[in-house]
Amino acid sequence: MLYRHQFKKSFTKGLLIARGVRDRAIVLVNQMNVGILSRTGRLNLTLNVQAGQTLDILVENQGRINFGNSINDNKKGLILDVTISNEVLVDWEMFPLNFSKVEDELLNSVILGSTEMKKNLHGFITPSVFMGQFTTPKTMKTMADTFLKLDGWRKGQVFVNGYNLGRYWPVMGPQNTLYVPGCYLNPYPNLNTVMVVELEQSPCNTQENFLLDDPEQNEVNDLLMEYMRIQYDCSVMFVDVPIINGTTPH
């Protein structure tokens, strides 16, 4: 669920507090990621904002609590007031995100790929949808089960041909691959579509941010483009063996 508010006044070092986040939220100002809130971690951020700027809070439902004192506390979304410098923010817009429609809209759009992906100084991006298509080998008559590996991607959700494979979050481990049943795949020459909903960081780079404006620097720009292509491989990989014993932070 996306919650949106337009600031009516400016705040310098305003303390944004959202104690009612259920369960995790990405906070954006004018589509720039300014921090992450979590019911199990930090619930405040210090912001410098101007009147007229847009605050977006993208809240993720991470599932039911099934143990402990909070077992009956399973409301989701923003369930309490959001404040900044002790002022309650009102006049919110709310947008449910239906990803079953995103794929069709992207595939049928003439502006596919033109939406800007903003990246902050820490490498965190605007939550973005990435899509690619592929065909299986021509000699492959029967579709086999496989596993999707997402090197360089940080946290999000993956869909293959409209099927939700699940959540990936390799920094939390231990599972680093997602199971892809063979029956989800289309045989050659039919296209298969992979849609990655990345919330935090991706290996894909907005290369134009690194290019030089001077027309005489075209050769340097070509080298930069090649370097960024190598360093930031915007791809996923299908592998034969699952990785389910990755490291965890706890």
Side-chain angles (χ1 to χ4, degrees):
M1 179 72 76
L2 179 70
Y3 297 81
R4 176 167 293 166
H5 169 81
Q6 188 173 56
F7 288 107
K8 307 297 190 299
K9 57 185 288 189
S10 301
F11 293 91
T12 301
K13 294 184 178 179
L15 185 63
L16 181 82
I17 300 176
R19 292 191 177 92
V21 168
R22 298 292 185 273
D23 296 303
R24 197 169 187 271
I26 296 172
V27 182
L28 306 106
V29 174
N30 278 12
Q31 297 186 331
M32 181 69 75
N33 187 321
V34 295
I36 296 173
L37 305 176
S38 171
R39 71 181 297 175
T40 60
R42 186 176 184 179
L43 290 172
N44 61 77
L45 293 169
T46 300
L47 302 180
N48 295 315
V49 296
Q50 302 296 318
Q53 287 188 318
T54 299
L55 171 69
D56 286 324
I57 302 180
L58 180 61
V59 181
E60 178 188 1
N61 175 354
Q62 293 189 307
R64 290 186 58 82
I65 298 172
N66 56 13
F67 65 94
N69 296 332
S70 299
I71 193 169
N72 292 320
D73 184 14
N74 275 294
K75 295 179 181 178
K76 300 299 178 180
L78 290 179
I79 66 171
L80 296 173
D81 288 337
V82 177
T83 64
I84 185 168
S85 295
N86 296 318
E87 295 187 25
V88 177
L89 299 180
V90 296
D91 298 327
W92 291 86
E93 295 181 274
M94 293 177 284
F95 304 92
L97 304 181
N98 185 350
F99 288 106
S100 65
K101 296 182 179 179
V102 171
E103 184 173 319
D104 290 338
E105 290 176 359
L106 283 177
L107 287 176
N108 296 322
S109 173
V110 295
I111 60 169
L112 178 60
S114 66
T115 303
E116 181 181 6
M117 180 185 70
K118 298 181 180 180
K119 182 181 292 187
N120 69 15
L121 294 177
H122 303 288
F124 283 82
I125 64 170
T126 308
S128 304
V129 177
F130 300 84
M131 184 174 292
Q133 293 182 311
F134 68 96
T135 57
T136 56
K138 189 175 181 178
T139 56
M140 193 175 195
K141 303 303 180 183
T142 302
M143 298 300 99
D145 295 352
T146 184
F147 302 89
L148 190 67
K149 191 167 181 279
L150 296 110
D151 288 346
W153 304 83
R154 184 177 174 89
K155 187 180 194 300
Q157 206 88 3
V158 184
F159 300 78
V160 170
N161 292 333
Y163 293 101
N164 187 346
L165 299 186
R167 180 184 70 186
Y168 64 90
W169 199 0
V171 295
M172 295 300 289
Q175 179 175 329
N176 289 340
T177 54
L178 294 173
Y179 174 55
V180 185
C183 58
Y184 286 4
L185 300 176
N186 299 320
Y188 183 91
N190 300 305
L191 286 173
N192 293 274
T193 300
V194 178
M195 184 175 77
V196 179
V197 182
E198 173 58 53
L199 300 177
E200 297 181 6
Q201 291 178 327
S202 83
C204 308
N205 187 68
T206 50
Q207 295 172 337
E208 64 273 11
N209 294 340
F210 292 84
L211 301 187
L212 307 175
D213 292 332
D214 187 348
E216 296 183 2
Q217 299 294 328
N218 286 339
E219 184 175 347
V220 176
N221 281 339
D222 289 341
L223 291 174
L224 282 170
M225 289 286 284
E226 178 63 16
Y227 172 78
M228 299 311 296
R229 183 191 67 79
I230 295 172
Q231 296 297 317
Y232 297 90
D233 184 12
C234 190
S235 65
V236 298
M237 182 183 297
F238 290 93
V239 296
D240 296 333
V241 180
I243 301 174
I244 56 176
N245 60 346
T247 57
T248 66
H250 304 294

